[in-house]
Amino acid sequence: MRSTRAVTISPEPDEFAVLPVWQRIALQLGILSVITLAIVLASELLGLQFGGTVRRVLSLALVPLPLLLWLLLSALPEDRFARPRRRLVGVAILSGLCASAFGLPLVDDFFQIGQWLPLESVIQRIVGYTVTVGVVDVGIKFLVLRFMVLPQDLRARSDVVAYAMAAAVGYSFYINLVSIWRLDPVWELAAIVVLSNIVIQFASSMAMTLGIVASYFANAFPSVLPLSLVVAALSTGLIAPQVPGLTSGPLGTAGNITRPLYGIVFLLAVLLLSLAGTYFLYRNAERRQREITLGRGDGNGL
């Protein structure tokens, strides 16, 4: 039985085209990636290191960087247009608050993954992160979107992407803040932590949007949305356990050998794959929608 929530829409209106969501997301993530890579290269090649209070201040200063880039490139420019997406900041704030009140306490205090999951095998870590961190993060972000914007604030497919990105930024901000405060890592590792958390939240949010778009803008089966949430949780399970292993490296006579460039390469590959893959599916959905408008196609798509 097919979903009864499908909405017939025309191709993206001009007022939404003035805020190219994908270009802005790519720009802010690209800037963040370049800054992270520059910090790692400066530390590795030039031996640029800081200690004590200076290191902690510089590490904590990286925490709001994804949020600031998002505000400058995505959220604040909305006010210049006639029909802005006014709930973007609200979605980001509520996502961060939910991460504080529910997300991190569930993961750290209830599941206590730090005490048992890092010692398991690769497959067990992937499954473990999926059913704990992945399910919690994706479930909270979806409930935030469902409570604040679905479906009343959706006018075009790009709205789903914009709001999902807001949820990812808000959620990752609190996780980064707690992670950097607790771990107190060196500057280059702090940069990798910040990048990895935003990449994880971005990848899962984009996977989640595919099901939301299919449910609200196309004649999709009811199972599509739950399936997309499962895929979103799985993406967290696939990414999260790999970053510490790639960055820390093997145990040698002098202790663990840090390999931050390995972590950077992995994160950039995941980011590019997630961004390009989701963008391709969205563009394909828009093309099919135009065909439907012209009297062709069967009406099924994202």
Side-chain angles (χ1 to χ4, degrees):
M1 183 176 182
R2 294 179 181 270
S3 172
T4 59
R5 295 179 295 175
V7 179
T8 302
I9 62 171
S10 58
E12 297 279 310
D14 291 338
E15 59 265 28
F16 302 125
V18 296
L19 278 179
V21 173
W22 289 107
Q23 291 89 328
R24 292 179 180 274
I25 289 177
L27 180 59
Q28 64 197 59
L29 293 176
I31 294 174
L32 179 63
S33 300
V34 169
I35 293 174
T36 304
L37 183 59
I39 291 173
V40 171
L41 290 176
S43 300
E44 291 291 299
L45 301 180
L46 303 178
L48 186 62
Q49 299 290 339
F50 302 96
T53 304
V54 175
R55 180 193 65 198
R56 190 169 184 83
V57 170
L58 289 175
S59 297
L60 288 172
L62 294 172
V63 172
L65 184 58
L67 178 62
L68 292 175
L69 289 172
W70 174 77
L71 285 172
L72 292 174
L73 297 174
S74 293
L76 296 180
E78 292 276 351
D79 291 333
R80 299 203 303 262
F81 301 95
R83 299 178 63 187
R85 303 175 181 97
R86 297 193 179 278
R87 296 181 183 267
L88 286 175
V89 175
V91 167
I93 292 174
L94 184 58
S95 297
L97 291 175
C98 287
S100 171
F102 306 108
L104 217 56
L106 281 173
V107 170
D108 288 348
D109 300 331
F110 182 74
F111 292 115
Q112 298 181 341
I113 63 170
Q115 298 183 17
W116 58 275
L117 200 49
L119 304 177
E120 303 296 333
S121 66
V122 174
I123 299 299
Q124 289 174 319
R125 289 202 305 270
I126 291 174
V127 174
Y129 273 99
T130 299
V131 300
T132 56
V133 181
V135 169
V136 169
D137 290 359
V138 172
I140 289 175
K141 287 185 294 184
F142 176 75
L143 290 176
V144 169
L145 294 179
R146 183 67 182 87
F147 173 74
M148 292 199 67
V149 300
L150 300 181
Q152 66 274 11
D153 288 319
L154 299 186
R155 299 164 296 182
R157 291 180 176 87
S158 58
D159 290 341
V160 183
V161 179
Y163 285 118
M165 185 62 187
V169 169
Y171 202 94
S172 63
F173 172 78
Y174 182 77
I175 295 178
N176 280 328
L177 179 61
V178 173
S179 298
I180 300 300
W181 184 265
R182 289 179 180 175
L183 298 175
D184 190 21
V186 297
W187 198 33
E188 59 180 326
L189 293 183
I192 294 177
V193 168
V194 171
L195 180 63
S196 65
N197 282 326
I198 191 64
V199 168
I200 290 169
Q201 296 304 323
F202 170 76
S204 65
S205 293
M206 292 302 103
M208 178 175 62
T209 62
L210 298 177
I212 295 175
V213 168
S215 296
Y216 287 96
F217 291 101
N219 190 22
F221 288 103
S223 59
V224 170
L225 180 56
L227 180 61
S228 74
L229 299 181
V230 172
V231 172
L234 178 60
S235 71
T236 298
L238 291 171
I239 302 170
Q242 311 306 324
V243 179
L246 288 171
T247 303
S248 298
L251 183 65
T253 57
N256 279 75
I257 303 173
T258 59
R259 305 180 302 184
L261 287 176
Y262 283 69
I264 287 288
V265 171
F266 173 74
L267 289 171
L268 293 181
V270 170
L271 182 58
L272 182 61
L273 179 63
S274 178
L275 184 62
T278 314
Y279 176 74
F280 171 79
L281 293 174
Y282 268 82
R283 293 296 295 174
N284 183 63
E286 291 172 0
R287 177 186 59 79
R288 296 181 67 176
Q289 183 61 49
R290 286 193 293 270
E291 292 177 353
I292 294 171
T293 304
L294 296 174
R296 300 190 299 274
D298 61 2
N300 293 314
L302 292 178

